[in-house]
Amino acid sequence: QVQLVESGGGLVQAGGSLRLSCTASGTILAIGTMGWYRQAPGMQRELVATFTRPNSTNYLDSVKGRFTISRDNAKKTVYLQMNSLKPEDTAVYYCNARIIPDLRSTYSTYWGQGTQVTVSS
């Protein structure tokens, strides 16, 4: 059973920083794209940052220059360094990954449980 477990959310003042982590565990044959989405109350879930093959990145325009996505393939972990946080960054942040669990499977999309990020003004 594949699981994505996130950590690193919390409450921070505007201008502060947080680092989110997401680690994949379970039976995993291969991991493709990994990334971060967020969902604010009453809003649709939106892409924040993602790795796309072959290892290029894509960012939401409003976070460019402030957020950095990185990845440690050996640890099956993706990170999101968030600097210069703004109140409008407040949301639940979700990890997303495309994973092949075993030789009988193809790529499937998995989601983490979400971690709350709250930025106070």
Side-chain angles (χ1 to χ4, degrees), residues 101-116:
D102 51 55
L103 288 172
R104 298 169 296 176
S105 304
T106 59
Y107 275 110
S108 295
T109 299
Y110 294 87
W111 292 92
Q113 80 285 357
T115 185
Q116 177 69 47

Side-chain angles (χ1 to χ4, degrees), residues 38-46 88-92 94:
R38 70 185 182 188
Q39 188 167 19
M43 304 293 286
Q44 288 189 333
R45 192 171 296 190
E46 61 182 356
E88 51 264 44
D89 294 318
T90 295
V92 178
Y94 296 92

Side-chain angles (χ1 to χ4, degrees), residues 30-48:
I31 302 177
T33 60
M34 297 186 80
W36 293 93
Y37 288 69
R38 70 185 182 188
Q39 188 167 19
M43 304 293 286
Q44 288 189 333
R45 192 171 296 190
E46 61 182 356
L47 173 68
V48 177

Side-chain angles (χ1 to χ4, degrees), residues 25-100:
S25 64
T27 303
I28 297 172
L29 180 64
I31 302 177
T33 60
M34 297 186 80
W36 293 93
Y37 288 69
R38 70 185 182 188
Q39 188 167 19
M43 304 293 286
Q44 288 189 333
R45 192 171 296 190
E46 61 182 356
L47 173 68
V48 177
T50 188
F51 275 101
T52 57
R53 289 182 149 184
N55 216 31
S56 62
T57 56
N58 186 35
Y59 290 93
L60 180 68
D61 282 347
S62 63
V63 308
K64 287 179 180 177
R66 299 188 297 122
F67 291 10
T68 302
I69 190 171
S70 61
R71 179 171 174 172
D72 186 331
N73 291 326
K75 295 182 178 179
K76 301 184 180 67
T77 298
V78 62
Y79 305 96
L80 186 67
Q81 178 66 44
M82 305 185 293
N83 298 329
S84 302
L85 281 160
K86 304 176 180 180
E88 51 264 44
D89 294 318
T90 295
V92 178
Y93 283 69
Y94 296 92
C95 176
N96 169 281
R98 295 275 291 169
I99 293 173
I100 299 177

